[in-house]
Amino acid sequence: MPVLPGAEPFRHEGGEVGVLLCHGFTGSPQSLRPWADYLAERGLTVSLPLLPGHGTRWQDMQLTGWQDWYAEVDRALRELTERCTQVFVFGLSMGGALSLRLAAKHGDAVTGLVLVNPGNKVHGAAAHALPVVRHFVRSTKGIASDIAKEGSEEVGYDRVPLHAAHSLRTFFKIVDGELPQVTQPLVVLHSPQDHVVPPVDSARILSRVSSTDVEEILLEQSYHVATLDHDAERIFEESYSFIGRLAPSVGKKGSTTGG
């Protein structure tokens, strides 16, 4: 299947500091592309992969599960660590959960994390019915484009495939159990008005990680896909200053661009 316009993966060869960006469930790299461009323009090496089953049609996602999505970001991280001296991992929604697992599994290979409205649990009574219902109902209403900003749209599916949703629920439980293994510096930016992931997910993550260098930032003007919303520029700036604090070479003339 052809990839939806705008949903293509993105890669930029920059300096010795790298950033891996992980997009969300049923979304695509398009939701993080402005962020990726912002970092690339500042001389960083940037990797923004397209997760398996995403960016085409929702039926393709029925055939994938969390192991496929995680394997893709794990591969991308390994590529960056071979090429860069320091690597940061940024994620939106489910991409936040993928980022947390990478941090838990790879330890010092990940210098720091920036999470935007990270998911931790599939909420509601319907979540408990998923193991059974997914065999009778193929999909449900989509979650894409929860954005306050007029005219801003996310390239994502208008349906949620239930086999994939069941896998996501399993993945969230696994990651929740691994949160104490996360020790890296961490910034969590979340929207009080989020119609996809409630603020309680960010609170849960912040309470369970072992990181001691932690910052929490509220995105008052945005909904779930805050990277395409009113607070996007703030997210980009905060993440770049976070990198600059932990990777001193960043921002110094010539150092991230190879001279």
Side-chain angles (χ1 to χ4, degrees):
M1 284 298 295
V3 173
L4 295 167
E8 305 86 3
F10 172 74
R11 173 87 187 198
H12 174 77
E13 294 296 333
E16 62 188 20
V17 177
V19 183
L20 169 62
L21 295 114
C22 308
H23 72 73
F25 182 74
T26 73
S28 74
Q30 178 262 354
S31 62
L32 300 180
R33 184 57 189 271
W35 197 1
D37 287 339
Y38 179 96
L39 298 168
E41 284 162 11
R42 282 152 184 80
L44 296 158
T45 292
V46 180
S47 177
L48 172 50
L50 172 64
L51 300 179
H54 292 71
T56 53
R57 53 184 198 138
W58 70 261
Q59 290 89 341
D60 295 332
M61 202 176 164
Q62 281 282 46
L63 309 172
T64 65
W66 74 261
Q67 296 93 334
D68 305 299
W69 314 325
Y70 180 73
E72 181 61 24
V73 296
D74 186 80
R75 182 195 61 74
L77 176 63
R78 290 174 193 275
E79 274 185 7
L80 281 176
T81 52
E82 284 173 14
R83 155 106 180 55
C84 301
T85 56
Q86 284 180 278
V87 179
F88 292 80
V89 183
F90 296 175
L92 167 68
S93 195
M94 176 184 76
L98 291 168
S99 303
L100 287 161
R101 182 157 217 255
L102 288 172
K105 292 290 182 187
H106 287 270
D108 292 344
V110 176
T111 300
L113 297 170
V114 177
L115 313 179
V116 178
N117 292 320
N120 175 257
K121 184 179 180 181
V122 176
H123 295 269
H128 300 288
L130 269 175
V132 175
V133 172
R134 68 193 172 105
H135 295 294
F136 304 100
V137 181
R138 295 187 71 206
S139 69
T140 187
K141 186 171 170 280
I143 55 171
S145 271
D146 184 35
I147 301 170
K149 187 177 181 181
E150 196 74 31
S152 186
E153 281 194 34
E154 180 186 16
V155 175
Y157 295 150
D158 59 0
R159 305 292 297 172
V160 171
L162 292 190
H163 277 308
H166 174 64
S167 186
L168 175 66
R169 183 172 177 243
T170 303
F171 180 61
F172 279 158
K173 286 180 179 173
I174 291 167
V175 175
D176 189 66
E178 293 171 345
L179 289 177
Q181 296 169 42
V182 176
T183 58
Q184 294 88 341
L186 168 68
V187 179
V188 176
L189 304 103
H190 64 97
S191 310
Q193 288 190 80
D194 184 328
H195 308 97
V196 178
V197 172
V200 68
D201 282 30
S202 287
R204 170 81 177 174
I205 290 163
L206 287 164
S207 72
R208 284 183 58 75
V209 295
S210 298
S211 308
T212 52
D213 180 348
V214 177
E215 187 176 5
E216 180 181 11
I217 297 169
L218 293 183
L219 305 173
E220 303 278 4
Q221 310 301 316
S222 302
Y223 295 162
H224 183 61
V225 191
T227 49
L228 298 177
D229 217 326
H230 294 295
D231 291 296
E233 201 66 26
R234 183 174 184 201
I235 294 168
F236 306 163
E237 289 168 2
E238 294 280 1
S239 69
Y240 184 65
S241 77
F242 175 70
I243 293 171
R245 180 163 65 80
L246 297 171
S249 66
V250 169
K252 289 180 182 166
K253 194 174 176 187
S255 56
T256 58
T257 54

